[in-house]
């Protein structure tokens, strides 16, 4: 599943860069007046208006692909296996705890010193 996410993200980024390039290659509505007076656009590969239709359609198709990859990336990211806790909690749980002495064989704790300054206050 991780390779699918990486592939989809790569396609998404390439489509985004392609859209940026196509939008920058297109000319605005005001540039058509210059082409009408022979500014050199009529001698282009697609003709005076052919490039506008080709670039517009290609941009539309890439925008649809971008939209689909966005939705698919959101779906894949939301359905990943969620890990709870932190890395530190996982390492603490993986460490083995040494076995303690048998129950009941612990030595009794020493009583408090008689000369200590701590005093119990009766209620």
């Amino acid at each position: 599943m991780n390779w699918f996410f990486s592939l989809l993200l790569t396609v998404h980024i390439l489509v985004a860069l392609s859209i940026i390039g196509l939008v920058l290659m297109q000319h605005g509505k005001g540039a058509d007046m210059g082409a009408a007076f022979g500014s050199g656009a009529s001698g282009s590969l697609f003709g005076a208006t052919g490039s506008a239709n080709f670039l517009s359609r290609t941009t539309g198709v890439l925008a649809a692909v971008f939209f689909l990859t966005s939705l698919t990336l959101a779906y894949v990211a939301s359905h990943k296996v969620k890990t709870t806790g932190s890395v530190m909690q996982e390492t603490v749980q993986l460490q083995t705890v040494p076995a303690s002495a048998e129950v009941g064989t612990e030595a009794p704790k020493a009583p408090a010193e008689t000369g200590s300054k701590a005093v119990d206050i009766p209620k």
Side-chain angles (χ1 to χ4, degrees), residues 11-32:
V11 169
H12 186 71
I13 291 171
L14 290 175
V15 167
L17 292 174
S18 300
I19 289 174
I20 291 170
L22 283 173
V23 168
L24 289 175
M25 284 185 352
Q26 294 178 19
H27 57 337
K29 297 281 184 189
D32 290 336

Side-chain angles (χ1 to χ4, degrees), residues 1-17 65-66 68-74 76-77 80:
M1 192 66 155
N2 193 17
W3 65 270
F4 179 69
F5 184 78
S6 298
L7 177 71
L8 197 60
L9 186 62
T10 304
V11 169
H12 186 71
I13 291 171
L14 290 175
V15 167
L17 292 174
V65 172
F66 183 81
L68 289 175
T69 56
S70 296
L71 289 177
T72 309
L73 279 171
V76 170
K80 278 188 175 181

Side-chain angles (χ1 to χ4, degrees), residues 7-94:
L7 177 71
L8 197 60
L9 186 62
T10 304
V11 169
H12 186 71
I13 291 171
L14 290 175
V15 167
L17 292 174
S18 300
I19 289 174
I20 291 170
L22 283 173
V23 168
L24 289 175
M25 284 185 352
Q26 294 178 19
H27 57 337
K29 297 281 184 189
D32 290 336
M33 185 59 81
F37 293 110
S39 68
S42 60
S44 67
L45 178 65
F46 299 106
T49 59
S51 65
N53 290 336
F54 174 75
L55 293 177
S56 298
R57 287 183 183 160
T58 307
T59 305
V61 169
L62 287 178
V65 172
F66 183 81
F67 181 72
L68 289 175
T69 56
S70 296
L71 289 177
T72 309
L73 279 171
Y75 178 78
V76 170
S78 67
H79 285 78
K80 278 188 175 181
V81 177
K82 294 185 172 108
T83 57
T84 58
S86 68
V87 175
M88 292 302 294
Q89 287 177 346
E90 291 176 10
T91 54
V92 169
Q93 290 174 356
L94 292 177

